[in-house]
Amino acid sequence: MHRLRMDIEQPRGEPKRLLRLARLSVAWEMLWPRLWPLVAVLGLFAALTLFDILPQLPGWLHLATLIVLGTAAAASLALAVAGFRAPTVGTARRRLEQDSGLEHRPLTALIDRQMTSMRDPEARALWKLHVDRQRARASQLTVRLPRPTLAERDAFGLRGLLALVVFVAAAASWGDWWPRLERVLSPQIAVAASGTDPVLDLFISPPRHTGVAPFYLQPPPETETGERLPGPAIAAPADSVLAARVSGAADVPTLILGQDALTFGIVGSDATEIEAVLTAGDRIAVEVDGTVLAEWPLELIPDLVPEIAFADTPTGTERGALRLHYTAEDDYGVATVRATVTLSPDAPEALPRAPMQLELTVPGRQPSDAEGVSFHDLTPHPWAGQSVSILLTATDAIGQSGTSETVDMVLPERTFEHPIARAIIDQRRTLLLYPEQAAEVSESLETLSLRPDRYYDDAVVFLALRTASRRLTLADNLGDAIASIERLLWDTALRLEDGDLSLAERDLRAAQQALMDALAGDASDEEIARLMDELRQAMDRYLQALEENLMEQLARGEDLQPMMIPPNANTINRQQLDEMLRQMQELSESGARDAARDMLAQLQNMLENLETGMALQQQQQQQSQMMSLLEDMQALMEAQQELLDQTFQQSQSVPENGQGQPQQGQPGQQGQQPGAGESEAVQEALRRALGQMMREMGELAGDIPAPLGRAEQAMRSSSDALGRGRPDQAIDPQTEALDALQQGLQSFVDQMLEQMAQQQGTQVGPAAQPLPSNTDPLGRPLRNSGTVSTEDVAIPQESDMQRSREILRELRRRLGERQRPELERNYIERLLRRF
């Protein structure tokens, strides 16, 4: 009986876990409507805290709001707890049956007991069958989520609005929750104490463009009698911003600026603040109820107009660019420098008259004292070679401008050596100055195109000349066509003069200017690196074009003497240029952009004032000997050609017999033709001269071209024939000798070029005053090892650049830490933006 009773009171099929969940669900549905007022009060408090609203209120109102919110929260909690009864097991069973959709309360049947016929086996079996059936029905039990009935109580959906406000407040105050919570729980209550003096804090922030740091004004101390004396005189830039704060004052303070009186604004229970721009006045004072808290004499420093002047007279460089050297100064820094070029009134009327604006390079970032050199290639401009007036204008950060004196000069123009290029430029000048002669210019261009042998049979030049000629003839609007035609003629003349060299030089100047502008602005490190690569590529193309141009001149047999570098001139090769570019990139990456910009300006100045040459890496005497030897070889070839012509004429006057042999015994012949002995002497002299040249070639180059040996043998055969009085038999040896001389000369020129390329390659030397031998091309002293000394040049060392990189890396790391105070992160961001 005892065992049966236990089975009935605690049926094995009852789901205890589901009963606990159902009981919790019922408890939540009973408790949540009671807790909702408390949650609403806490949500309102969270919104006020995250929006930092309460600290902006007066102290007494701040405290009163906290008391009201606290009272409401306590009352809501008390109402929620009062009268709350935890749900019973029976309630949980009934909720579980309802959620499962079971009828006839099967869980209740599991705990029921058989009250009658306990001794009847059939009744007991029937009861057991009934319990098993109810236990089977209870095996599909489930618990649904709680169903709070807030929608019935909150018909307007205010709970959603409260959740949205709290979410927005949390997002807006991300990273600053704890300081705001501390401020909201610490209301500033004014302490009413009659013996407490007001506290004054006053700052002056100069305009940003001045670069002057903000400074704090310390209120002057009181005398023994309690009198406030004026503080020391304050000198501040005009348009500075004054910020003052007074705490603990019994009345609203007043700010006195000269003759103006400004009232402070209330920002707290006992604090007032004010901001004002200092534009006029000679006195700063703060008064409270007629009592002066502090006073300072004020002197406003006006922003002066920049001053600018020409440091040197504008001139043209060796590369044909306009060189403008200026000095400028301003009290707070020069922002921009511009040159205005105006055409002279005496210039031809056909030229355009609109002034030309040239942006000049300013070294550094708004320097107070600036000295810069800018180069501008104006040789393609229609004003090249014309008289102009140049005016410099310097502008500061607030737009004030100062001008220099006007300088008159003739713009540099390029001189062309190639005859066809020179003729094209003459026609271009005629077209610009006298547009009415367009028909004559068209005819002249067509005539020039008919001699392709004079411009190396260049198809591009031919097509350009024909195109320009036809466009001048068929143009409907001649004024519009002239602008494009003159550019076409200019590019054609450049192609004839030096091939791709001018185009490479133009790309190099553009790359230099782009990098200069990027270093002066706020370009990113990636942009600087990209522009540095473009400059390096442009430099390589320029040097390659320069080398090809020089070799073409050598191959054409042009005079090489002007291309030789004086022995006391400095040279710079590609390796040194690459090293300078590498140093500039390292300086910019380490944050020393001003130093990188200065080095780029020095490189630009050096390239604009350099002339090109092929350094042979030998003594000047050896260079002169090789040049003289080439000239002697050309003279020898000309003499051999004249002797060949003379011998041919002599062979025509020799009488022949029937077998084609010269007749003997004629009067006056004596076995040879008149003049044959003289020709033999000339041929022998030429042979001996060739032998001497071959010995000199062996001494200079170490190898004698093989064709010269064949030429010497042919000359010997020619001399023998002339000695026998047979000029007809001397023609073939002389022709062979002339061909061999030409081949030998070409071999010697190729050998010279190869030797030069192996020794040094293309180099650049200065055309102006040569530098001392103990300095580099930038004028810096060289150590004994030949490396550049930076003792007198402000270029950071490797350790300085490494330290700069570490500082930049640390600043970026700290900027990425969101937990740092907002004030500190703003300061780090300003540092990175500036440096």
Side-chain angles (χ1 to χ4, degrees):
M1 291 296 295
H2 179 72
R3 182 178 179 180
L4 178 60
R5 189 178 299 111
M6 291 297 295
D7 291 341
I8 294 175
E9 293 178 353
Q10 297 182 358
R12 288 173 296 175
E14 187 177 49
K16 296 182 180 180
R17 183 179 65 84
L18 293 178
L19 283 176
R20 286 195 295 269
L21 293 177
R23 193 172 182 180
L24 290 175
S25 179
V26 174
W28 176 253
E29 292 180 356
M30 295 172 60
L31 186 60
W32 176 240
R34 295 170 174 267
L35 292 177
W36 171 244
L38 175 61
V39 173
V41 173
L42 295 178
L44 178 60
F45 173 76
L48 295 175
T49 300
L50 296 177
F51 279 126
D52 207 18
I53 295 177
L54 295 183
Q56 310 302 324
L57 302 177
W60 63 270
L61 185 57
H62 183 177
L63 180 60
T65 304
L66 290 179
I67 293 175
V68 170
L69 291 176
T71 303
S76 300
L77 181 60
L79 292 176
V81 176
F84 175 74
R85 298 293 183 271
T88 61
V89 178
T91 305
R93 291 194 183 99
R94 184 58 184 159
R95 174 58 179 270
L96 189 58
E97 292 171 347
Q98 292 176 351
D99 290 346
S100 304
L102 299 179
E103 299 179 352
H104 308 301
R105 305 181 68 177
L107 293 180
T108 304
L110 293 179
I111 62 174
D112 284 345
R113 291 182 297 174
Q114 183 178 357
M115 301 300 297
T116 59
S117 303
M118 297 292 292
R119 299 181 182 273
D120 186 358
E122 295 181 358
R124 292 177 58 185
L126 182 62
W127 177 256
K128 184 177 182 303
L129 179 62
H130 169 69
V131 171
D132 291 340
R133 288 178 178 179
Q134 297 303 324
R135 182 178 293 110
R137 293 181 60 195
S139 63
Q140 303 298 326
L141 295 177
T142 182
V143 180
R144 296 182 180 180
L145 295 176
R147 296 184 293 275
T149 58
L150 287 181
E152 302 175 0
R153 301 169 180 257
D154 184 16
F156 298 100
L158 297 180
R159 62 189 185 280
L161 177 61
L162 179 61
L164 178 62
V165 170
V166 173
F167 176 78
V168 172
S173 61
W174 185 268
D176 197 27
W177 296 349
W178 185 254
R180 298 192 180 198
L181 181 60
E182 290 180 346
R183 286 195 296 270
V184 81
L185 296 179
S186 304
Q188 302 296 324
I189 307 299
V191 179
S194 58
T196 303
D197 294 332
V199 178
L200 171 64
D201 296 311
L202 195 147
F203 294 87
I204 293 181
S205 300
R208 183 175 182 180
H209 73 272
T210 63
V212 180
F215 53 92
Y216 173 73
L217 296 184
Q218 182 71 32
E222 296 181 352
T223 62
E224 296 180 357
T225 60
E227 181 183 2
R228 271 300 173 181
L229 297 177
I234 302 301
D239 296 328
S240 297
V241 178
L242 181 146
R245 179 184 179 94
V246 177
S247 303
D251 198 359
V252 178
T254 302
L255 176 65
I256 307 298
L257 294 179
Q259 304 299 324
D260 299 332
L262 306 175
T263 303
F264 280 64
I266 300 175
V267 296
S269 59
D270 66 336
T272 56
E273 291 182 355
I274 192 173
E275 282 192 2
V277 180
L278 302 179
T279 57
D282 57 357
R283 173 175 174 260
I284 299 177
V286 178
E287 297 181 355
V288 177
D289 195 16
T291 303
V292 178
L293 292 182
E295 180 181 3
W296 297 270
L298 175 63
E299 178 186 0
L300 291 179
I301 304 174
D303 194 338
L304 302 179
V305 177
E307 297 180 2
I308 187 171
F310 285 98
D312 292 327
T313 303
T315 58
T317 67
E318 294 294 331
R319 311 302 300 169
L322 173 63
R323 180 180 182 271
L324 296 177
H325 185 192
Y326 70 89
T327 58
E329 61 179 14
D330 185 67
D331 47 0
Y332 298 123
V334 179
T336 61
V337 175
R338 181 182 298 106
T340 303
V341 184
T342 307
L343 187 63
S344 173
D346 300 333
E349 294 294 335
L351 293 176
R353 297 284 171 173
M356 181 170 35
Q357 302 290 338
L358 303 178
E359 297 294 334
L360 274 60
T361 302
V362 179
R365 189 186 297 270
Q366 295 188 4
S368 298
D369 295 317
E371 180 178 0
V373 179
S374 290
F375 301 91
H376 306 272
D377 185 13
L378 302 181
T379 53
H381 199 274
W383 292 359
Q386 300 294 328
S387 297
V388 296
S389 299
I390 302 179
L391 177 69
L392 298 181
T393 303
T395 307
D396 61 10
I398 62 175
Q400 298 183 119
S401 299
T403 58
S404 67
E405 297 181 355
T406 302
V407 175
D408 298 331
M409 69 168 298
V410 176
L411 286 181
E413 60 179 341
R414 177 162 182 169
T415 302
F416 290 84
E417 301 296 338
H418 192 281
I420 300 298
R422 188 163 55 248
I424 292 174
I425 293 301
D426 291 340
Q427 297 302 317
R428 175 179 179 267
R429 184 181 297 107
T430 302
L431 184 63
L432 290 174
L433 300 181
Y434 310 104
E436 64 275 6
Q437 300 183 14
E440 291 81 354
V441 173
S442 175
E443 184 178 352
S444 299
L445 293 177
E446 185 171 1
T447 303
L448 290 175
S449 67
L450 298 178
R451 296 293 303 274
D453 58 308
R454 301 186 62 184
Y455 49 82
Y456 316 122
D457 295 321
D458 193 333
V460 176
V461 176
F462 174 80
L463 292 175
L465 293 175
R466 285 300 182 94
T467 300
S469 176
R470 293 295 184 269
R471 291 182 62 184
L472 285 175
T473 304
L474 304 176
D476 296 332
N477 189 339
L478 186 60
D480 296 338
I482 286 179
S484 58
I485 292 174
E486 63 92 5
R487 288 194 296 269
L488 176 61
L489 294 178
W490 178 264
D491 293 339
T492 305
L494 289 181
R495 178 181 179 87
L496 277 174
E497 185 70 15
D498 50 20
D500 296 333
L501 180 59
S502 296
L503 181 61
E505 184 178 10
R506 182 172 57 191
D507 294 341
L508 177 60
R509 284 178 174 146
Q512 288 173 341
Q513 189 61 41
L515 180 58
M516 185 74 71
D517 295 339
L519 291 174
D522 296 329
S524 62
D525 293 339
E526 292 77 10
E527 180 73 9
I528 296 294
R530 183 182 65 82
L531 293 176
M532 194 72 69
D533 291 339
E534 292 181 358
L535 176 60
R536 185 177 290 104
Q537 295 173 7
M539 183 77 71
D540 291 340
R541 291 194 298 269
Y542 173 72
L543 295 178
Q544 181 65 28
L546 180 63
E547 183 176 354
E548 292 176 357
N549 181 263
L550 293 174
M551 290 188 175
E552 289 176 0
Q553 294 182 25
L554 286 174
R556 292 196 296 265
E558 297 182 6
D559 186 14
L560 301 180
Q561 189 63 31
M563 293 186 294
M564 290 303 171
I565 299 175
N568 59 343
N570 281 351
T571 61
I572 183 170
N573 55 23
R574 294 194 183 194
Q575 290 76 17
Q576 292 172 322
L577 290 175
D578 291 339
E579 179 64 19
M580 292 184 66
L581 294 176
R582 186 189 64 80
Q583 290 183 7
M584 281 190 289
Q585 186 166 2
E586 290 183 354
L587 289 173
S588 63
E589 291 176 353
S590 62
R593 293 193 175 183
D594 291 343
R597 198 160 177 242
D598 292 341
M599 181 174 287
L600 177 60
Q602 293 174 356
L603 175 62
Q604 185 179 12
N605 186 19
M606 180 185 65
L607 292 179
E608 289 293 345
N609 289 279
L610 295 183
E611 64 180 4
T612 59
M614 296 294 295
L616 304 181
Q617 294 295 307
Q618 296 179 357
Q619 300 296 328
Q620 182 67 16
Q621 181 180 2
Q622 182 181 7
Q623 295 179 354
S624 301
Q625 291 176 355
M626 296 182 73
M627 293 302 305
S628 178
L629 189 56
L630 285 176
E631 295 175 356
D632 293 343
M633 285 287 297
Q634 293 176 352
L636 179 63
M637 290 175 58
E638 295 175 357
Q640 184 64 47
Q641 181 66 49
E642 293 177 359
L643 180 61
L644 176 61
D645 296 339
Q646 181 181 355
T647 303
F648 181 77
Q649 294 176 0
Q650 293 175 359
S651 67
Q652 298 298 319
S653 62
V654 175
E656 298 180 356
N657 55 23
Q659 281 74 29
Q661 299 295 330
Q663 297 180 7
Q664 302 294 330
Q666 297 295 332
Q669 287 183 348
Q670 298 180 357
Q672 61 181 4
Q673 297 298 323
E678 181 180 353
S679 299
E680 179 187 6
V682 172
Q683 183 66 82
E684 189 64 22
L686 292 178
R687 188 182 67 82
R688 289 195 299 269
L690 176 61
Q692 179 64 27
M693 293 179 189
M694 293 171 64
R695 286 191 295 271
E696 293 180 1
M697 286 183 184
E699 295 175 357
L700 292 176
D703 188 14
I704 300 175
L708 296 184
R710 296 195 300 270
E712 195 273 339
Q713 294 294 332
M715 287 181 178
R716 186 184 299 275
S717 299
S718 172
S719 180
D720 293 342
L722 292 174
R724 295 193 310 269
R726 299 298 303 273
D728 56 324
Q729 296 181 0
I731 293 177
D732 290 341
Q734 290 182 8
T735 303
E736 181 183 356
L738 186 60
D739 293 339
L741 286 176
Q742 293 177 347
Q743 297 175 8
L745 178 61
Q746 184 62 42
S747 299
F748 182 61
V749 171
D750 294 341
Q751 188 176 353
M752 281 180 55
L753 293 177
E754 183 179 359
Q755 183 178 359
M756 293 175 184
Q758 291 177 354
Q759 290 179 349
Q760 183 65 22
T762 302
Q763 297 204 352
V764 184
Q769 295 296 331
L771 298 174
S773 58
N774 60 341
T775 60
D776 73 344
L778 297 181
R780 298 175 295 192
L782 293 174
R783 298 191 181 96
N784 294 333
S785 60
T787 58
V788 176
S789 173
T790 59
E791 296 175 357
D792 299 329
V793 182
I795 298 178
Q797 300 295 327
E798 182 65 26
S799 59
D800 299 331
M801 292 187 289
Q802 181 63 29
R803 179 59 177 165
S804 300
R805 296 190 192 100
E806 295 176 358
I807 293 175
L808 285 175
R809 192 180 303 112
E810 179 64 19
L811 288 176
R812 293 192 179 100
R813 186 189 66 80
R814 295 189 181 187
L815 181 63
E817 296 178 352
R818 304 294 301 180
Q819 69 274 15
R820 290 188 175 274
E822 184 178 359
L823 182 62
E824 181 180 354
R825 287 190 281 110
N826 291 338
Y827 175 72
I828 295 176
E829 187 175 358
R830 289 196 302 272
L831 283 178
L832 291 175
R833 185 166 57 248
R834 181 174 180 83
F835 298 103

